Amino acid sequence: MTGSALAGDSKYDVVFIGGGPAGYVGAIRAAQNGLRVACIDAWRNRDGKPAFGGTCLNAGCIPSKALLESSELFHRAGHEFASHGIRVNAPELDLAAMQARKAGIVRQFTGGIDALFKSNGVAGLAGRGHLLPGNKIRYTSHAGEAELLEAEHVVLATGSTPIELPFARFDGEVILDSWSALDLPAVPARLGVIGAGVIGLELGSVWSRLGAQVTVLEALERFLFMVDGQVAKDAQRQFKKQGLDIRLGAKVTATERGPAGVAVTYEDASGRHVLEVDRLIVAVGRRPNTDGLLDPLAGVHRSDRGFIEVDDECRTSAAGVWAVGDVVRGPMLAHKGSEEGVMVADLIAGRHGHVNYAVIPSVIYTAPEIAWVGQTEEQLKEARVDYKAGTFNFAASGRARAMEQAAGLVKVLADAATDRVLGVHIVGPMAGELIGEAVVAMEFEASAEDLQRTIHAHPTLAEALHEAALSVDRRALHAINH
Ligand SMILES: Cc1cc2nc3c(=O)[nH]c(=O)nc-3n(C[C@H](O)[C@H](O)[C@H](O)COP(=O)(O)OP(=O)(O)OC[C@H]3O[C@@H](n4cnc5c(N)ncnc54)[C@H](O)[C@@H]3O)c2cc1C
């Protein structure tokens, strides 16, 4: 853990409690702004060693993407190479090597934060922070030594933890949270997943590509309720084709551990069912880490669900105390937390800072990827906004065809009166990268015509976004305009 020049001091301009993407990024920006900064973080990895980076680097975004990439390559080698005219023997899985690669990437990135803290002069403190009244912090190191820190400003960035179901308690072996699900030492023959959200689908995809028979149980009737309906339907069709068994309207009511696995009882419209699986992942959401964080006299209000209440600029109810990331309202996304950390660090330093909550991209890193920004068609209808919609199928994209990944579509929604882009929704190859262009366009309040008149290199996947924008005015050049 970082031992910067400031470690040992007890007075700071800003102390961040929590060193995930919201806290560590904010701490770096605060130090860049010339402030004296400490960042306390409680994370310890399986080997007991502390590591900055929070859920995202240690147990979330980074390890999941490493495994998604490896498992996708494994799947392609077995199922897709032949269509390119490449004959290989059936690929053999070396899961230990795959897991070691993932662990190496995580180590490199968490170690990178130590280096960034050192070079920016942030004091990285391993242990727990507890907010006391008057912007004082009790910092307790992992060795149990307590120290009192004082700060002009405190930023709470303690993140979130997987929600546990009372009838499916995590045991780290058979009933798994998302972190344990990333560390499985063997591919289960039958894997159950409770929750068809982002995390459930990504983890289900990893193990399905590596050979598990995956069944996903989702209580809601609608698949991916937060995603544009047309895009969600397309994705659902593609997942089904891949062999993911997604059961909607399936409410799990009980689990029972047996000698080798677990029996999962669920109810749907047709009655009561029991699903036998070897491993069960519970991915039903995350709750904010605020228990034991706040002295009752510190003056920081929490919502009924435990989130720290903040205004649009992340100020809490206590003067000089701010809160950012998963611990406050809004989507639980690393980039949203980081931008809040940066905004707060800039505001504390007297600079301009803001987060445009209307333009936060979301990505689901399945294959195909799903990515979106702005409003869905359903949201626009509900808000009675008069809009125009344009779509383009990757089937007509030369690059997607060359990549053998031509399923999916891009959809652009624009205001009927002003032509301003209101939402972009993608299911298809590299959707998570493609959405970046839409985010910039929306941030600069672009119109569909702006996208239409922007030159896109040929042949690229980005041409699909260009054509979807053209299709908004029925002027697509490589599709029939309806
Ligand atoms: C499997 C999985 C995959 C994900 N993939 C993505 C993705 O691809 N893209 C994306 O944007 N998001 C993804 N997320 C969500 C993302 O990880 C979170 O939104 C992000 O980590 C939130 O950042 P944070 O800094 O608010 O909190 P966290 O990353 O949770 O960090 C909070 C830190 O605070 C520490 N802490 C808690 N209490 C205290 C205390 N009292 N004192 C000191 N330290 C404390 C915690 O130990 C932790 O280290 C994923 C999550 C999971 C689980």
Side-chain angles (χ1 to χ4, degrees):
M1 181 106 340
T2 309
S4 89
L6 293 178
D9 288 4
S10 60
K11 285 198 172 162
Y12 296 92
D13 295 319
V14 199
V15 170
F16 285 79
I17 304 182
Y24 89 76
V25 171
I28 291 171
R29 171 53 65 86
Q32 287 171 345
N33 285 338
L35 301 169
R36 288 159 53 87
V37 184
C39 181
I40 306 171
D41 187 75
W43 191 279
R44 280 206 272 187
N45 272 317
R46 302 238 190 260
D47 57 6
K49 289 197 182 129
F52 277 103
T55 305
C56 173
L57 268 69
N58 291 290
C61 325
I62 300 303
S64 62
K65 266 79 254 180
L67 284 189
L68 279 158
E69 193 63 33
S70 300
S71 59
E72 178 63 7
L73 287 178
F74 178 76
H75 176 81
R76 283 205 195 141
H79 294 87
E80 204 179 291
F81 278 18
S83 61
H84 287 272
I86 304 168
R87 276 199 220 136
V88 288
N89 293 329
E92 213 177 296
L93 178 65
D94 181 348
L95 185 57
M98 199 178 274
Q99 292 287 22
R101 171 183 174 273
K102 176 201 77 180
I105 295 169
V106 168
R107 254 196 320 277
Q108 203 178 9
F109 275 75
T110 55
I113 299 178
D114 289 347
L116 288 170
F117 273 9
K118 258 193 195 118
S119 66
N120 284 284
V122 175
L125 307 174
R128 296 202 83 77
H130 177 76
L131 183 70
L132 300 168
N135 292 6
K136 293 194 172 56
I137 304 109
R138 188 175 62 237
Y139 157 56
T140 310
S141 73
H142 288 309
E145 289 151 4
E147 193 184 337
L148 194 67
L149 310 182
E150 283 178 59
E152 291 288 318
H153 295 268
V154 180
V155 185
L156 307 169
T158 47
S160 63
T161 309
I163 291 174
E164 196 168 26
L165 296 172
F167 48 82
R169 296 270 176 218
F170 299 130
D171 57 29
E173 266 178 48
V174 174
I175 301 183
L176 309 168
D177 66 9
S178 51
W179 192 11
S180 304
L182 287 165
D183 285 348
L184 280 175
V187 181
R190 300 164 307 171
L191 175 70
V193 181
I194 307 182
V198 179
I199 293 174
L201 287 175
E202 289 187 2
L203 293 172
S205 296
V206 165
W207 296 108
S208 159
R209 291 165 191 171
L210 297 180
Q213 174 57 50
V214 177
T215 308
V216 186
L217 302 173
E218 167 59 54
L220 295 179
E221 293 286 348
R222 197 187 135 179
F223 182 58
L224 289 175
F225 71 95
M226 66 294 197
V227 173
D228 184 273
Q230 186 180 3
V231 164
K233 252 198 204 112
D234 193 284
Q236 189 179 1
R237 198 178 39 78
Q238 294 195 51
F239 294 148
K240 193 172 172 194
K241 226 165 125 190
Q242 288 167 16
L244 268 185
D245 181 357
I246 302 171
R247 302 183 189 173
L248 299 174
K251 200 167 178 298
V252 177
T253 53
T255 63
E256 195 182 322
R257 277 208 50 181
V262 56
V264 185
T265 306
Y266 69 93
E267 283 164 19
D268 64 15
S270 67
R272 201 163 151 272
H273 312 268
V274 177
L275 174 75
E276 304 263 354
V277 290
D278 303 301
R279 295 286 179 276
L280 177 68
I281 301 173
V282 181
V284 293
R286 299 178 61 83
R287 62 178 176 80
N289 291 328
T290 50
D291 293 346
L293 172 66
L294 308 165
D295 185 290
L297 298 178
V300 174
H301 296 160
R302 289 193 297 169
S303 70
D304 294 345
R305 292 167 59 214
F307 288 93
I308 295 173
E309 292 186 342
V310 288
D311 67 11
D312 285 350
E313 293 182 328
C314 293
R315 280 181 201 83
T316 71
S317 48
V321 181
W322 311 68
V324 295
D326 280 11
V327 85
V328 302
R329 82 285 175 264
M332 286 185 165
L333 292 170
H335 43 281
K336 174 263 193 185
S338 295
E339 284 309 312
E340 288 179 334
V342 166
M343 167 178 74
V344 165
D346 283 343
L347 291 172
I348 288 172
R351 292 169 178 246
H352 177 73
H354 92 134
V355 170
N356 183 356
Y357 287 99
V359 186
I360 298 176
S362 296
V363 183
I364 308 178
Y365 294 84
T366 41
E369 291 183 356
I370 303 166
W372 69 99
V373 60
Q375 297 180 75
T376 62
E377 208 165 338
E378 291 74 23
Q379 286 168 334
L380 293 175
K381 274 187 186 139
E382 203 182 314
R384 297 182 190 281
V385 175
D386 202 6
Y387 67 91
K388 308 178 278 182
T391 55
F392 188 78
N393 292 328
F394 281 107
S397 154
R399 188 67 197 278
R401 284 260 171 215
M403 291 167 72
E404 199 61 31
Q405 290 176 52
L409 63 110
V410 180
K411 177 174 188 173
V412 174
L413 301 168
D415 189 287
T418 65
D419 196 36
R420 188 170 159 184
V421 177
L422 300 174
V424 176
H425 306 271
I426 308 174
V427 51
M430 309 297 282
E433 300 298 326
L434 293 176
I435 203 69
E437 178 183 345
V439 176
V440 174
M442 286 187 64
E443 191 62 48
F444 284 84
E445 301 185 3
S447 62
E449 188 181 347
D450 288 327
L451 284 175
Q452 293 169 5
R453 292 186 183 278
T454 301
I455 301 177
H456 290 71
H458 176 75
T460 58
L461 297 173
E463 285 174 306
L465 176 56
H466 186 216
E467 289 277 0
L470 286 162
S471 150
V472 163
D473 291 317
R474 306 294 169 261
R475 290 166 69 81
L477 295 161
H478 294 89
I480 296 160
N481 294 287
H482 296 289

